[in-house]
Amino acid sequence: MSFQPRDYQNLFRMLGDPSLYQKYQIPSNTQPTHRQPTGFSPNFDVYETPNEYVLEGELPGLCDKSKVQIEFTDAQTLLVRGHIERSHEQDAQRRKSLKPTVEDEGEATKKELARTKEADKTKYWVSERNVGEFQRSFSFPGAVDLDLVKASLEHGILKIVVPKKVQAGSRKIEIS
């Protein structure tokens, strides 16, 4: 049995009640689908303090700040876009760490080649991580100070602080 992300038909079968997928109108002949990395919309928390708007978005796996663009499309609309790629660097590091022991020195070259070929034949069973292009747009209800906007990226969290524009207070003018 193949297992695909969010494959409810197979989930209901595993639970032992085939009538559930009929109840939820899931066709029994549904073929598994393979997700292609097309694009996604990252999750953001947006909150307001008395002096600023704060946006915190989840971009797990993003380390290269140059892969994110933050810009104002008008005086009150912020656009966040970029690209996240699946990294095979961890797989490469794992393969390098599989060094032969002293006893295996004679077989070292053969084993290293076999491990490399085996690792190159990796098949994903489930691929649910968000990769590809992403874009989010945010409109602010009040005037913002575009010159004082700050952004940081730490541990996969993009934080954008957008200060509110300080409104000039009213001033009474006396007639002389």
Side-chain angles (χ1 to χ4, degrees):
M1 174 174 80
S2 67
F3 181 79
Q4 296 295 323
R6 300 177 181 91
D7 188 349
Y8 299 109
Q9 175 184 347
N10 287 330
L11 174 65
F12 295 142
R13 281 184 185 156
M14 288 173 13
L15 293 173
D17 189 355
S19 65
L20 288 174
Y21 61 82
Q22 290 171 348
K23 179 180 176 182
Y24 291 100
Q25 300 176 348
I26 300 172
S28 60
N29 62 352
T30 302
Q31 296 296 319
T33 58
H34 300 285
R35 233 171 60 160
Q36 296 295 323
T38 54
F40 67 98
S41 181
N43 296 325
F44 271 81
D45 290 339
V46 181
Y47 57 93
E48 178 181 1
T49 69
N51 299 322
E52 60 198 12
Y53 301 101
V54 180
L55 299 87
E56 294 177 337
E58 295 178 342
L59 300 173
L62 184 68
C63 300
D64 186 359
K65 296 175 186 178
S66 68
K67 300 277 185 181
V68 180
Q69 295 85 42
I70 304 168
E71 61 183 289
F72 276 88
T73 56
D74 62 38
Q76 291 180 283
T77 305
L78 178 73
L79 179 66
V80 179
R81 62 182 166 178
H83 183 82
I84 294 178
E85 298 172 350
R86 175 173 283 125
S87 171
H88 296 289
E89 186 176 305
Q90 291 175 339
D91 293 338
Q93 287 176 351
R94 183 179 52 82
R95 277 186 254 143
K96 287 180 184 177
S97 70
L98 298 174
K99 301 284 184 197
T101 61
V102 175
E103 296 84 23
D104 296 333
E105 259 182 42
E107 299 283 318
T109 306
K110 290 180 188 176
K111 287 185 179 183
E112 191 68 31
L113 286 172
R115 286 181 187 136
T116 303
K117 286 180 183 178
E118 190 176 301
D120 290 341
K121 294 180 183 179
T122 302
K123 294 180 187 177
Y124 283 90
W125 287 16
V126 178
S127 180
E128 295 181 337
R129 294 186 335 188
N130 291 323
V131 294
E133 302 290 327
F134 64 87
Q135 180 170 316
R136 285 294 302 266
S137 180
F138 301 94
S139 294
F140 300 100
V144 296
D145 194 340
L146 301 179
D147 297 327
L148 298 177
V149 175
K150 294 180 182 175
S152 62
L153 179 66
E154 285 187 43
H155 306 292
I157 303 294
L158 176 65
K159 183 175 183 176
I160 306 169
V161 179
V162 182
K164 294 178 180 179
K165 195 167 217 165
V166 178
Q167 300 294 333
S170 63
R171 190 180 102 183
K172 188 175 182 179
I173 301 173
E174 292 185 32
I175 301 173
S176 53

